[in-house]
Amino acid sequence: MSTAEETAGGEMQPWAEVTPDAARRLLVAAVEAFAERGYHATTTRDIAGRAGMSPAALYIHYKTKEELLHRISRIGHDKALDIVRGAAQGGGSAAERLTDAVRSFVRWHAGQHTTARVVQYELEALGTEARAEIVALRRQTDAAVRGIIEDGVAAGDFDVPDVPGTTLAVLSLCIDVARWFNVNGPRTPDEVGTLYADLVLRMVGAKE
């Protein structure tokens, strides 16, 4: 991941919990390789080479390529859930909490777009057990956003005939930012986050 991406994210890379340093370097190399070539086209030799290590060194820290993807996906989904849940549990009206959730979620997907692409779009490469674990985290994220929208509907602040469908649309809109965001583009992660938060408030028919 580039310095530009870290700057755009406005936060440290979400790998502080990965130790030792060699394991972290391999994880970062795997993110870059998976994002560039896709999981299936990436070999363990590719990952080790990017990290400046031998293929044998990789197996000291990760038994398989899938274990690397699972670790990346778990950390990324934990981060995404923390962002959304923090906003959902915050103070303020439903509109304020939805604004915070969308703005923060989009900002992360833009600022950490390389990581987010792997986290969000390589899920099917995981084995059954690992995929089920990640799907459970995604459902929790969905539930947090759905809860905010339901609060807004109950308070009469939102006009949403189909809450589950709208929740899916909101999350899909936010996640897709990782696919197209360019650090050299016309908008910063903060600006995209603000734009999308406004769009989502319009989607839910938020009252002025």
Side-chain angles (χ1 to χ4, degrees), residues 20-205:
D21 179 67
R24 186 183 305 111
R25 284 165 53 200
L26 286 163
L27 202 75
V28 171
V31 169
E32 293 175 344
F34 293 158
E36 181 180 313
R37 306 187 62 184
Y39 174 81
H40 293 294
T42 298
T43 66
T44 53
R45 184 175 294 276
D46 293 333
I47 295 167
R50 284 174 182 262
M53 301 180 193
S54 69
L58 185 148
Y59 295 108
I60 295 173
H61 302 284
Y62 302 99
K63 294 177 183 177
T64 62
K65 184 176 69 166
E66 186 194 338
E67 184 180 332
L68 261 169
L69 178 61
H70 178 229
R71 186 88 167 107
I72 292 163
S73 192
R74 177 62 199 242
I75 292 172
H77 278 87
D78 279 340
K79 176 64 175 177
L81 178 57
D82 285 347
I83 288 170
V84 173
R85 186 175 280 165
Q89 295 173 351
S93 67
E96 289 169 335
R97 286 182 286 134
L98 187 59
T99 295
D100 187 20
V102 171
R103 189 163 50 208
S104 300
F105 201 47
V106 167
R107 182 177 178 274
W108 186 77
H109 280 83
Q112 305 295 334
H113 56 94
T114 303
T115 298
R117 276 203 307 276
V118 175
V119 167
Q120 298 292 2
Y121 294 113
E122 293 289 354
L123 180 63
E124 293 306 313
L126 291 172
T128 303
E129 186 175 334
R131 186 165 63 249
E133 177 187 306
I134 301 305
V135 167
L137 290 172
R138 291 168 82 102
R139 286 176 178 156
Q140 291 179 61
T141 299
D142 178 281
V145 173
R146 188 171 65 250
I148 301 173
I149 296 174
E150 287 172 343
D151 287 348
V153 172
D157 295 334
F158 297 164
D159 180 14
V160 182
D162 181 350
V163 172
T166 301
T167 301
L168 177 61
V170 169
L171 289 171
S172 298
L173 189 69
C174 296
I175 288 168
D176 194 56
V177 170
R179 184 183 56 78
W180 61 259
F181 185 79
N182 185 339
V183 292
N184 297 315
R187 289 189 173 95
T188 67
D190 282 331
E191 289 169 341
V192 177
T194 298
L195 171 65
Y196 274 48
D198 181 65
L199 291 172
V200 166
L201 289 182
R202 294 171 186 270
M203 284 173 62
V204 299

Side-chain angles (χ1 to χ4, degrees), residues 1-3 5-7 11-17 28 111-112 115:
M1 282 160 286
S2 66
T3 302
E5 178 171 340
E6 183 171 348
T7 301
E11 60 181 288
M12 293 301 291
Q13 295 293 348
W15 311 124
E17 60 272 76
V28 171
Q112 305 295 334
T115 298

